Amino acid sequence: MIKRFATYCVILVLNVAVAAAQKSSGFSDFVDSTKITFYFNVGSAAIDLFYSSNDAMLEKLRKVQEKQGADSIYVPRVDVFAGVSPEGSDEANSQVRWKRLDNSINLIKRYFDLPRYNENYFDAKVTIPQIWQNLAIEVKKSDIANKDRVLQCINSGGNVPAKIQAIDKSGATWNEISQKYFPQLRRCEVVIYFKKKEDKPQKQFPTVDKLLPEEEDEVFIYVRKPNDELSSMTPLKVSKATAERLKKRQTITEYHPMFAVNSNLFYDGIGAPNFGLELPIGKLSFNISYVFPWYSAKKDNWCYELNYWELEGKYWLGDRDFAPKLTGHAVGLFGGVGYYDFEIKSKGYQGEICVNAGVSYHYAKAFGKEKRWRLQFGGGVGVMRTNYSYYEHKYDHLVWKRDGRYTWIGPTKLDINIGYLLHRKVEKPSNLIIEEGGGNAKK
C-alpha cells in the first residue's frame, strides 16, 4: 500500500513539473488545428491549383492565416502524409512521393513558420505492398461490387493488377478502382497544429501562384499502365542524373515459386528422419517424401529400420488465382512402397514389400517473413498390405519362425508438415520508357 502511494506521489510531482515548464516557456494546449490536402496529377509533383480541390485548400490556408494572425499563433507541430498510386516502378514512386511532400511543405512555409515535420508513413522508401495497402484502406470504406474479391487480390500479393483485372472479363472492377480511388491515393495531407505565444511574428500572405515553378535540367519519364498500354498522360519528372541511373536498370526482378521442402513432424517425433519435396503446378501439386530411420543394436537384438517412399498428388480447392501457393484446403491421392525390420526384446518382424495407398485431405497455412513458410496438417485413409517374416533372436542368430500376410483398411496416413517455399528469380524488362525533353515533353 505504501509503495503504491509513493508511486502516485512521484507521478503527481512529475505532472506538476511538466505543466510548470510549459507555462514558463509560453506553451499551452493546442488552440487549433487544420488539415490541408493537395491532390496531384498522375506522375506529377507540381501543385496545380486548377486540379481537384487544390485552389480551395490554398484559400483555406489564407483564411486560417488571417484568422490566427492577430492572436500571436505559432506552429509547434506538423504531421505529413504523402502517397502515390500504383502506376510506375518502386523507385519512380519514391521519387515522386518525396517531391510531393517537399512541394506541399514549402508552399505552407510561405504562410507559417514550420518546425521539422513528422512524417506519417511506413518507410522512407515507398514499396508496392505499401501502396496497395493504402488502396485497401480506401476500398474497405467503399461499397463497390466485388469488394471482398478485390481485398483478397490485394492481400494475396503478387501481380495485383492482373488479379483484379481477372475478376470480370469486361475489366469494369479495375476501371472503377483506377478512376475512383487512384486519384485519392495521389495526395499529400498536412495537419498543422497551433499554439499561442507572445510576440511571434507572422508572415504576410503572398501572391497566389497558379502553378509551382518547375525545376530546370529535368526530363520526363513515361510509365506503362498495368495493362501495358502506353499513356502520354502519365509523366514523371526526375533529374537527368536519376534518368541516367534508371537507364542502367532496364530490368525488374520478380520471384516465382518453384517448390517447397518439408519435413513431417509426426515422423520426427517418433525418431524417423524424413524429408519431402512438393511441386506446385496451377491448382495441383505433387509431393514426394522419403522416410529412412535405420537404427540397430550391435548384438542384433534390437532394430528400428524403415525405408519408405511415398508419392502424392493434391488438388487445391478454391479460387487459386487469389491465394498463395500451397495454402488452403486440398484433397489428394497417395501411394507408397517400402521395406522394414522392427525388432524388440529379441522378437521381430521383417517385411520385404509394404504397399500403402488411399485418399487424403490437407489444410495448409502460410506464415513467417514474406509468407514463405508453410504449416500443413493432413490425414488419409486407405489400404496397407504387407508380406512379413516373424523371427526370434537366439544364440546370436536370427531364427525364422513363420511367414505371414497382413492387410489393414482404415487410417494409414498422418501429416504435420512444416515446409519452406523456394522461389526463382526472374529478370523482366522494366516498365519504364524514358524520354528526355525537359519542358517540351507532352503532358
Side-chain angles (χ1 to χ4, degrees), residues 89 91-92 95 218-222 238-252 428-438:
S89 66
E91 184 168 356
Q95 293 274 347
E218 291 185 328
V219 297
F220 281 91
I221 294 178
Y222 292 94
V238 299
S239 67
K240 286 187 176 181
T242 300
E244 291 298 326
R245 188 167 63 252
L246 289 175
K247 285 181 180 179
K248 298 177 181 178
R249 299 174 57 186
Q250 293 296 306
T251 60
I252 57 176
K428 287 190 173 182
S430 173
N431 64 340
L432 289 180
I433 293 180
I434 301 177
E435 176 183 332
E436 297 188 16

PDB file of all heavy atoms in Angstrom, residues 89 91-92 95 218-222 238-252 428-438:
ATOM      1  N   SER A  89       7.277   2.271 -61.277  1.00  0.00           N
ATOM      2  CA  SER A  89       8.150   1.377 -60.512  1.00  0.00           C
ATOM      3  C   SER A  89       8.315   1.892 -59.090  1.00  0.00           C
ATOM      4  O   SER A  89       7.926   3.014 -58.758  1.00  0.00           O
ATOM      5  CB  SER A  89       9.527   1.302 -61.179  1.00  0.00           C
ATOM      6  OG  SER A  89      10.168   2.565 -61.100  1.00  0.00           O
ATOM      7  N   GLU A  91      11.090   2.768 -57.550  1.00  0.00           N
ATOM      8  CA  GLU A  91      11.993   3.919 -57.489  1.00  0.00           C
ATOM      9  C   GLU A  91      11.308   5.183 -57.992  1.00  0.00           C
ATOM     10  O   GLU A  91      11.449   6.254 -57.402  1.00  0.00           O
ATOM     11  CB  GLU A  91      13.257   3.635 -58.292  1.00  0.00           C
ATOM     12  CG  GLU A  91      14.285   4.750 -58.180  1.00  0.00           C
ATOM     13  CD  GLU A  91      15.646   4.351 -58.723  1.00  0.00           C
ATOM     14  OE1 GLU A  91      15.802   3.183 -59.107  1.00  0.00           O
ATOM     15  OE2 GLU A  91      16.531   5.212 -58.733  1.00  0.00           O
ATOM     16  N   ALA A  92      10.538   5.064 -59.069  1.00  0.00           N
ATOM     17  CA  ALA A  92       9.831   6.234 -59.591  1.00  0.00           C
ATOM     18  C   ALA A  92       8.809   6.747 -58.592  1.00  0.00           C
ATOM     19  O   ALA A  92       8.673   7.954 -58.379  1.00  0.00           O
ATOM     20  CB  ALA A  92       9.146   5.878 -60.919  1.00  0.00           C
ATOM     21  N   GLN A  95      10.531   8.632 -55.763  1.00  0.00           N
ATOM     22  CA  GLN A  95      10.954   9.963 -56.194  1.00  0.00           C
ATOM     23  C   GLN A  95       9.796  10.953 -56.163  1.00  0.00           C
ATOM     24  O   GLN A  95       9.901  12.048 -55.618  1.00  0.00           O
ATOM     25  CB  GLN A  95      11.531   9.877 -57.621  1.00  0.00           C
ATOM     26  CG  GLN A  95      12.829   9.101 -57.727  1.00  0.00           C
ATOM     27  CD  GLN A  95      14.042   9.970 -57.445  1.00  0.00           C
ATOM     28  OE1 GLN A  95      13.933  11.193 -57.403  1.00  0.00           O
ATOM     29  NE2 GLN A  95      15.190   9.351 -57.264  1.00  0.00           N
ATOM     30  N   GLU A 218      15.657  18.936 -66.065  1.00  0.00           N
ATOM     31  CA  GLU A 218      14.916  17.734 -65.723  1.00  0.00           C
ATOM     32  C   GLU A 218      14.401  17.065 -66.995  1.00  0.00           C
ATOM     33  O   GLU A 218      14.369  17.682 -68.067  1.00  0.00           O
ATOM     34  CB  GLU A 218      13.740  18.043 -64.798  1.00  0.00           C
ATOM     35  CG  GLU A 218      14.163  18.482 -63.407  1.00  0.00           C
ATOM     36  CD  GLU A 218      12.969  18.667 -62.500  1.00  0.00           C
ATOM     37  OE1 GLU A 218      11.906  19.054 -63.003  1.00  0.00           O
ATOM     38  OE2 GLU A 218      13.114  18.432 -61.290  1.00  0.00           O
ATOM     39  N   VAL A 219      14.008  15.828 -66.886  1.00  0.00           N
ATOM     40  CA  VAL A 219      13.437  15.086 -68.004  1.00  0.00           C
ATOM     41  C   VAL A 219      12.151  14.442 -67.537  1.00  0.00           C
ATOM     42  O   VAL A 219      11.881  14.332 -66.346  1.00  0.00           O
ATOM     43  CB  VAL A 219      14.411  13.998 -68.520  1.00  0.00           C
ATOM     44  CG1 VAL A 219      15.672  14.617 -69.065  1.00  0.00           C
ATOM     45  CG2 VAL A 219      14.733  12.999 -67.420  1.00  0.00           C
ATOM     46  N   PHE A 220      11.332  14.020 -68.518  1.00  0.00           N
ATOM     47  CA  PHE A 220      10.104  13.301 -68.215  1.00  0.00           C
ATOM     48  C   PHE A 220      10.321  11.813 -68.420  1.00  0.00           C
ATOM     49  O   PHE A 220      10.979  11.387 -69.364  1.00  0.00           O
ATOM     50  CB  PHE A 220       8.961  13.761 -69.126  1.00  0.00           C
ATOM     51  CG  PHE A 220       8.356  15.072 -68.695  1.00  0.00           C
ATOM     52  CD1 PHE A 220       8.840  16.268 -69.193  1.00  0.00           C
ATOM     53  CD2 PHE A 220       7.313  15.091 -67.798  1.00  0.00           C
ATOM     54  CE1 PHE A 220       8.292  17.466 -68.808  1.00  0.00           C
ATOM     55  CE2 PHE A 220       6.757  16.295 -67.401  1.00  0.00           C
ATOM     56  CZ  PHE A 220       7.235  17.491 -67.908  1.00  0.00           C
ATOM     57  N   ILE A 221       9.741  11.015 -67.521  1.00  0.00           N
ATOM     58  CA  ILE A 221       9.723   9.563 -67.674  1.00  0.00           C
ATOM     59  C   ILE A 221       8.263   9.144 -67.802  1.00  0.00           C
ATOM     60  O   ILE A 221       7.453   9.459 -66.946  1.00  0.00           O
ATOM     61  CB  ILE A 221      10.364   8.852 -66.474  1.00  0.00           C
ATOM     62  CG1 ILE A 221      11.840   9.183 -66.407  1.00  0.00           C
ATOM     63  CG2 ILE A 221      10.157   7.353 -66.546  1.00  0.00           C
ATOM     64  CD1 ILE A 221      12.529   8.567 -65.228  1.00  0.00           C
ATOM     65  N   TYR A 222       7.924   8.470 -68.890  1.00  0.00           N
ATOM     66  CA  TYR A 222       6.566   7.983 -69.082  1.00  0.00           C
ATOM     67  C   TYR A 222       6.495   6.527 -68.653  1.00  0.00           C
ATOM     68  O   TYR A 222       7.378   5.733 -68.966  1.00  0.00           O
ATOM     69  CB  TYR A 222       6.146   8.124 -70.547  1.00  0.00           C
ATOM     70  CG  TYR A 222       5.990   9.565 -70.961  1.00  0.00           C
ATOM     71  CD1 TYR A 222       7.039  10.242 -71.567  1.00  0.00           C
ATOM     72  CD2 TYR A 222       4.822  10.246 -70.694  1.00  0.00           C
ATOM     73  CE1 TYR A 222       6.914  11.576 -71.929  1.00  0.00           C
ATOM     74  CE2 TYR A 222       4.684  11.584 -71.054  1.00  0.00           C
ATOM     75  CZ  TYR A 222       5.734  12.240 -71.668  1.00  0.00           C
ATOM     76  OH  TYR A 222       5.598  13.551 -72.016  1.00  0.00           O
ATOM     77  N   VAL A 238      11.894  13.756 -63.381  1.00  0.00           N
ATOM     78  CA  VAL A 238      13.022  13.483 -62.495  1.00  0.00           C
ATOM     79  C   VAL A 238      14.241  14.217 -63.036  1.00  0.00           C
ATOM     80  O   VAL A 238      14.239  14.726 -64.162  1.00  0.00           O
ATOM     81  CB  VAL A 238      13.314  11.964 -62.403  1.00  0.00           C
ATOM     82  CG1 VAL A 238      12.118  11.217 -61.838  1.00  0.00           C
ATOM     83  CG2 VAL A 238      13.693  11.400 -63.761  1.00  0.00           C
ATOM     84  N   SER A 239      15.275  14.256 -62.218  1.00  0.00           N
ATOM     85  CA  SER A 239      16.504  14.892 -62.675  1.00  0.00           C
ATOM     86  C   SER A 239      17.178  14.021 -63.732  1.00  0.00           C
ATOM     87  O   SER A 239      16.923  12.832 -63.838  1.00  0.00           O
ATOM     88  CB  SER A 239      17.446  15.102 -61.484  1.00  0.00           C
ATOM     89  OG  SER A 239      17.883  13.858 -60.998  1.00  0.00           O
ATOM     90  N   LYS A 240      18.067  14.652 -64.520  1.00  0.00           N
ATOM     91  CA  LYS A 240      18.778  13.894 -65.549  1.00  0.00           C
ATOM     92  C   LYS A 240      19.659  12.815 -64.937  1.00  0.00           C
ATOM     93  O   LYS A 240      19.823  11.737 -65.517  1.00  0.00           O
ATOM     94  CB  LYS A 240      19.619  14.854 -66.401  1.00  0.00           C
ATOM     95  CG  LYS A 240      18.784  15.685 -67.366  1.00  0.00           C
ATOM     96  CD  LYS A 240      19.674  16.483 -68.297  1.00  0.00           C
ATOM     97  CE  LYS A 240      18.834  17.240 -69.333  1.00  0.00           C
ATOM     98  NZ  LYS A 240      19.677  18.009 -70.266  1.00  0.00           N
ATOM     99  N   ALA A 241      20.218  13.106 -63.764  1.00  0.00           N
ATOM    100  CA  ALA A 241      21.059  12.095 -63.105  1.00  0.00           C
ATOM    101  C   ALA A 241      20.239  10.865 -62.757  1.00  0.00           C
ATOM    102  O   ALA A 241      20.681   9.729 -62.942  1.00  0.00           O
ATOM    103  CB  ALA A 241      21.688  12.690 -61.838  1.00  0.00           C
ATOM    104  N   THR A 242      18.997  11.086 -62.275  1.00  0.00           N
ATOM    105  CA  THR A 242      18.126   9.952 -61.951  1.00  0.00           C
ATOM    106  C   THR A 242      17.748   9.191 -63.209  1.00  0.00           C
ATOM    107  O   THR A 242      17.715   7.954 -63.226  1.00  0.00           O
ATOM    108  CB  THR A 242      16.862  10.444 -61.237  1.00  0.00           C
ATOM    109  OG1 THR A 242      17.236  11.109 -60.026  1.00  0.00           O
ATOM    110  CG2 THR A 242      15.938   9.277 -60.906  1.00  0.00           C
ATOM    111  N   ALA A 243      17.470   9.921 -64.295  1.00  0.00           N
ATOM    112  CA  ALA A 243      17.106   9.264 -65.549  1.00  0.00           C
ATOM    113  C   ALA A 243      18.239   8.396 -66.066  1.00  0.00           C
ATOM    114  O   ALA A 243      18.025   7.283 -66.542  1.00  0.00           O
ATOM    115  CB  ALA A 243      16.723  10.308 -66.591  1.00  0.00           C
ATOM    116  N   GLU A 244      19.475   8.895 -65.966  1.00  0.00           N
ATOM    117  CA  GLU A 244      20.612   8.096 -66.415  1.00  0.00           C
ATOM    118  C   GLU A 244      20.777   6.833 -65.575  1.00  0.00           C
ATOM    119  O   GLU A 244      21.118   5.767 -66.086  1.00  0.00           O
ATOM    120  CB  GLU A 244      21.899   8.942 -66.350  1.00  0.00           C
ATOM    121  CG  GLU A 244      21.950  10.076 -67.363  1.00  0.00           C
ATOM    122  CD  GLU A 244      21.908   9.558 -68.792  1.00  0.00           C
ATOM    123  OE1 GLU A 244      22.467   8.461 -69.037  1.00  0.00           O
ATOM    124  OE2 GLU A 244      21.314  10.221 -69.654  1.00  0.00           O
ATOM    125  N   ARG A 245      20.518   6.976 -64.264  1.00  0.00           N
ATOM    126  CA  ARG A 245      20.623   5.811 -63.387  1.00  0.00           C
ATOM    127  C   ARG A 245      19.541   4.786 -63.720  1.00  0.00           C
ATOM    128  O   ARG A 245      19.782   3.576 -63.692  1.00  0.00           O
ATOM    129  CB  ARG A 245      20.503   6.255 -61.926  1.00  0.00           C
ATOM    130  CG  ARG A 245      20.784   5.136 -60.934  1.00  0.00           C
ATOM    131  CD  ARG A 245      20.961   5.667 -59.527  1.00  0.00           C
ATOM    132  NE  ARG A 245      19.763   6.296 -59.018  1.00  0.00           N
ATOM    133  CZ  ARG A 245      19.606   7.600 -58.854  1.00  0.00           C
ATOM    134  NH1 ARG A 245      20.587   8.416 -59.163  1.00  0.00           N
ATOM    135  NH2 ARG A 245      18.486   8.102 -58.395  1.00  0.00           N
ATOM    136  N   LEU A 246      18.351   5.250 -64.061  1.00  0.00           N
ATOM    137  CA  LEU A 246      17.266   4.333 -64.412  1.00  0.00           C
ATOM    138  C   LEU A 246      17.540   3.630 -65.742  1.00  0.00           C
ATOM    139  O   LEU A 246      17.132   2.486 -65.945  1.00  0.00           O
ATOM    140  CB  LEU A 246      15.940   5.095 -64.493  1.00  0.00           C
ATOM    141  CG  LEU A 246      15.370   5.575 -63.161  1.00  0.00           C
ATOM    142  CD1 LEU A 246      14.131   6.417 -63.391  1.00  0.00           C
ATOM    143  CD2 LEU A 246      15.044   4.408 -62.253  1.00  0.00           C
ATOM    144  N   LYS A 247      18.228   4.320 -66.656  1.00  0.00           N
ATOM    145  CA  LYS A 247      18.554   3.697 -67.937  1.00  0.00           C
ATOM    146  C   LYS A 247      19.438   2.472 -67.747  1.00  0.00           C
ATOM    147  O   LYS A 247      19.387   1.527 -68.527  1.00  0.00           O
ATOM    148  CB  LYS A 247      19.258   4.708 -68.846  1.00  0.00           C
ATOM    149  CG  LYS A 247      18.327   5.754 -69.447  1.00  0.00           C
ATOM    150  CD  LYS A 247      19.108   6.691 -70.337  1.00  0.00           C
ATOM    151  CE  LYS A 247      18.207   7.756 -70.950  1.00  0.00           C
ATOM    152  NZ  LYS A 247      18.967   8.684 -71.805  1.00  0.00           N
ATOM    153  N   LYS A 248      20.268   2.501 -66.706  1.00  0.00           N
ATOM    154  CA  LYS A 248      21.159   1.380 -66.452  1.00  0.00           C
ATOM    155  C   LYS A 248      20.435   0.224 -65.788  1.00  0.00           C
ATOM    156  O   LYS A 248      20.988  -0.864 -65.643  1.00  0.00           O
ATOM    157  CB  LYS A 248      22.328   1.835 -65.567  1.00  0.00           C
ATOM    158  CG  LYS A 248      23.184   2.915 -66.216  1.00  0.00           C
ATOM    159  CD  LYS A 248      24.279   3.375 -65.269  1.00  0.00           C
ATOM    160  CE  LYS A 248      25.124   4.480 -65.894  1.00  0.00           C
ATOM    161  NZ  LYS A 248      26.173   4.966 -64.953  1.00  0.00           N
ATOM    162  N   ARG A 249      19.206   0.463 -65.358  1.00  0.00           N
ATOM    163  CA  ARG A 249      18.431  -0.584 -64.696  1.00  0.00           C
ATOM    164  C   ARG A 249      17.164  -0.838 -65.500  1.00  0.00           C
ATOM    165  O   ARG A 249      16.078  -0.454 -65.128  1.00  0.00           O
ATOM    166  CB  ARG A 249      18.085  -0.156 -63.266  1.00  0.00           C
ATOM    167  CG  ARG A 249      19.299   0.086 -62.394  1.00  0.00           C
ATOM    168  CD  ARG A 249      18.904   0.643 -61.051  1.00  0.00           C
ATOM    169  NE  ARG A 249      17.967  -0.225 -60.365  1.00  0.00           N
ATOM    170  CZ  ARG A 249      17.375   0.080 -59.213  1.00  0.00           C
ATOM    171  NH1 ARG A 249      17.625   1.240 -58.646  1.00  0.00           N
ATOM    172  NH2 ARG A 249      16.529  -0.751 -58.655  1.00  0.00           N
ATOM    173  N   GLN A 250      17.333  -1.446 -66.663  1.00  0.00           N
ATOM    174  CA  GLN A 250      16.218  -1.653 -67.575  1.00  0.00           C
ATOM    175  C   GLN A 250      15.448  -2.938 -67.286  1.00  0.00           C
ATOM    176  O   GLN A 250      14.598  -3.331 -68.064  1.00  0.00           O
ATOM    177  CB  GLN A 250      16.734  -1.683 -69.012  1.00  0.00           C
ATOM    178  CG  GLN A 250      17.273  -0.341 -69.482  1.00  0.00           C
ATOM    179  CD  GLN A 250      16.203   0.740 -69.529  1.00  0.00           C
ATOM    180  OE1 GLN A 250      15.166   0.559 -70.149  1.00  0.00           O
ATOM    181  NE2 GLN A 250      16.436   1.847 -68.865  1.00  0.00           N
ATOM    182  N   THR A 251      15.767  -3.588 -66.178  1.00  0.00           N
ATOM    183  CA  THR A 251      15.063  -4.809 -65.832  1.00  0.00           C
ATOM    184  C   THR A 251      14.526  -4.709 -64.412  1.00  0.00           C
ATOM    185  O   THR A 251      15.043  -3.944 -63.594  1.00  0.00           O
ATOM    186  CB  THR A 251      15.982  -6.040 -65.925  1.00  0.00           C
ATOM    187  OG1 THR A 251      17.082  -5.872 -65.031  1.00  0.00           O
ATOM    188  CG2 THR A 251      16.488  -6.228 -67.348  1.00  0.00           C
ATOM    189  N   ILE A 252      13.480  -5.458 -64.139  1.00  0.00           N
ATOM    190  CA  ILE A 252      12.930  -5.568 -62.800  1.00  0.00           C
ATOM    191  C   ILE A 252      12.999  -7.036 -62.387  1.00  0.00           C
ATOM    192  O   ILE A 252      13.012  -7.924 -63.230  1.00  0.00           O
ATOM    193  CB  ILE A 252      11.485  -5.059 -62.719  1.00  0.00           C
ATOM    194  CG1 ILE A 252      10.605  -5.816 -63.721  1.00  0.00           C
ATOM    195  CG2 ILE A 252      11.423  -3.573 -62.977  1.00  0.00           C
ATOM    196  CD1 ILE A 252       9.133  -5.431 -63.629  1.00  0.00           C
ATOM    197  N   LYS A 428      12.879  -9.308 -65.686  1.00  0.00           N
ATOM    198  CA  LYS A 428      11.975  -8.906 -66.754  1.00  0.00           C
ATOM    199  C   LYS A 428      12.309  -7.484 -67.198  1.00  0.00           C
ATOM    200  O   LYS A 428      12.867  -6.690 -66.431  1.00  0.00           O
ATOM    201  CB  LYS A 428      10.521  -8.960 -66.274  1.00  0.00           C
ATOM    202  CG  LYS A 428       9.984 -10.375 -66.120  1.00  0.00           C
ATOM    203  CD  LYS A 428       8.487 -10.337 -65.880  1.00  0.00           C
ATOM    204  CE  LYS A 428       7.903 -11.738 -65.902  1.00  0.00           C
ATOM    205  NZ  LYS A 428       6.438 -11.718 -65.726  1.00  0.00           N
ATOM    206  N   PRO A 429      11.957  -7.147 -68.458  1.00  0.00           N
ATOM    207  CA  PRO A 429      12.193  -5.769 -68.901  1.00  0.00           C
ATOM    208  C   PRO A 429      11.447  -4.783 -68.014  1.00  0.00           C
ATOM    209  O   PRO A 429      10.340  -5.048 -67.554  1.00  0.00           O
ATOM    210  CB  PRO A 429      11.645  -5.768 -70.338  1.00  0.00           C
ATOM    211  CG  PRO A 429      11.652  -7.184 -70.752  1.00  0.00           C
ATOM    212  CD  PRO A 429      11.401  -7.998 -69.521  1.00  0.00           C
ATOM    213  N   SER A 430      12.070  -3.643 -67.764  1.00  0.00           N
ATOM    214  CA  SER A 430      11.438  -2.616 -66.951  1.00  0.00           C
ATOM    215  C   SER A 430      10.221  -2.056 -67.664  1.00  0.00           C
ATOM    216  O   SER A 430      10.151  -2.017 -68.890  1.00  0.00           O
ATOM    217  CB  SER A 430      12.437  -1.496 -66.671  1.00  0.00           C
ATOM    218  OG  SER A 430      11.798  -0.414 -66.030  1.00  0.00           O
ATOM    219  N   ASN A 431       9.238  -1.599 -66.860  1.00  0.00           N
ATOM    220  CA  ASN A 431       8.052  -0.996 -67.452  1.00  0.00           C
ATOM    221  C   ASN A 431       8.210   0.508 -67.641  1.00  0.00           C
ATOM    222  O   ASN A 431       7.242   1.213 -67.893  1.00  0.00           O
ATOM    223  CB  ASN A 431       6.824  -1.264 -66.577  1.00  0.00           C
ATOM    224  CG  ASN A 431       6.943  -0.611 -65.212  1.00  0.00           C
ATOM    225  OD1 ASN A 431       8.036  -0.287 -64.767  1.00  0.00           O
ATOM    226  ND2 ASN A 431       5.818  -0.411 -64.544  1.00  0.00           N
ATOM    227  N   LEU A 432       9.455   1.015 -67.523  1.00  0.00           N
ATOM    228  CA  LEU A 432       9.696   2.442 -67.714  1.00  0.00           C
ATOM    229  C   LEU A 432      10.156   2.725 -69.138  1.00  0.00           C
ATOM    230  O   LEU A 432      10.983   2.010 -69.691  1.00  0.00           O
ATOM    231  CB  LEU A 432      10.766   2.940 -66.744  1.00  0.00           C
ATOM    232  CG  LEU A 432      10.362   3.012 -65.265  1.00  0.00           C
ATOM    233  CD1 LEU A 432      11.541   3.517 -64.461  1.00  0.00           C
ATOM    234  CD2 LEU A 432       9.162   3.895 -65.066  1.00  0.00           C
ATOM    235  N   ILE A 433       9.594   3.755 -69.732  1.00  0.00           N
ATOM    236  CA  ILE A 433      10.069   4.261 -71.016  1.00  0.00           C
ATOM    237  C   ILE A 433      10.583   5.676 -70.760  1.00  0.00           C
ATOM    238  O   ILE A 433       9.831   6.548 -70.307  1.00  0.00           O
ATOM    239  CB  ILE A 433       8.941   4.284 -72.057  1.00  0.00           C
ATOM    240  CG1 ILE A 433       8.514   2.855 -72.384  1.00  0.00           C
ATOM    241  CG2 ILE A 433       9.392   5.001 -73.313  1.00  0.00           C
ATOM    242  CD1 ILE A 433       7.418   2.780 -73.405  1.00  0.00           C
ATOM    243  N   ILE A 434      11.846   5.900 -70.993  1.00  0.00           N
ATOM    244  CA  ILE A 434      12.459   7.174 -70.656  1.00  0.00           C
ATOM    245  C   ILE A 434      12.545   8.041 -71.909  1.00  0.00           C
ATOM    246  O   ILE A 434      13.107   7.642 -72.919  1.00  0.00           O
ATOM    247  CB  ILE A 434      13.861   6.966 -70.061  1.00  0.00           C
ATOM    248  CG1 ILE A 434      13.734   6.095 -68.792  1.00  0.00           C
ATOM    249  CG2 ILE A 434      14.544   8.278 -69.764  1.00  0.00           C
ATOM    250  CD1 ILE A 434      15.058   5.768 -68.163  1.00  0.00           C
ATOM    251  N   GLU A 435      11.983   9.234 -71.825  1.00  0.00           N
ATOM    252  CA  GLU A 435      12.023  10.162 -72.930  1.00  0.00           C
ATOM    253  C   GLU A 435      12.505  11.506 -72.423  1.00  0.00           C
ATOM    254  O   GLU A 435      11.899  12.100 -71.531  1.00  0.00           O
ATOM    255  CB  GLU A 435      10.612  10.328 -73.519  1.00  0.00           C
ATOM    256  CG  GLU A 435      10.543  11.360 -74.636  1.00  0.00           C
ATOM    257  CD  GLU A 435       9.141  11.550 -75.144  1.00  0.00           C
ATOM    258  OE1 GLU A 435       8.356  10.599 -75.055  1.00  0.00           O
ATOM    259  OE2 GLU A 435       8.831  12.656 -75.601  1.00  0.00           O
ATOM    260  N   GLU A 436      13.623  11.946 -72.914  1.00  0.00           N
ATOM    261  CA  GLU A 436      14.189  13.223 -72.473  1.00  0.00           C
ATOM    262  C   GLU A 436      13.647  14.333 -73.358  1.00  0.00           C
ATOM    263  O   GLU A 436      13.602  14.216 -74.574  1.00  0.00           O
ATOM    264  CB  GLU A 436      15.701  13.185 -72.522  1.00  0.00           C
ATOM    265  CG  GLU A 436      16.313  12.158 -71.580  1.00  0.00           C
ATOM    266  CD  GLU A 436      17.807  12.284 -71.512  1.00  0.00           C
ATOM    267  OE1 GLU A 436      18.319  13.318 -71.934  1.00  0.00           O
ATOM    268  OE2 GLU A 436      18.459  11.332 -71.031  1.00  0.00           O
ATOM    269  N   GLY A 437      13.233  15.403 -72.716  1.00  0.00           N
ATOM    270  CA  GLY A 437      12.706  16.515 -73.488  1.00  0.00           C
ATOM    271  C   GLY A 437      12.449  17.747 -72.678  1.00  0.00           C
ATOM    272  O   GLY A 437      11.982  18.752 -73.173  1.00  0.00           O
ATOM    273  N   GLY A 438      12.732  17.641 -71.334  1.00  0.00           N
ATOM    274  CA  GLY A 438      12.521  18.790 -70.472  1.00  0.00           C
ATOM    275  C   GLY A 438      11.090  19.258 -70.510  1.00  0.00           C
ATOM    276  O   GLY A 438      10.142  18.505 -70.545  1.00  0.00           O
TER     277      GLY A 438
END
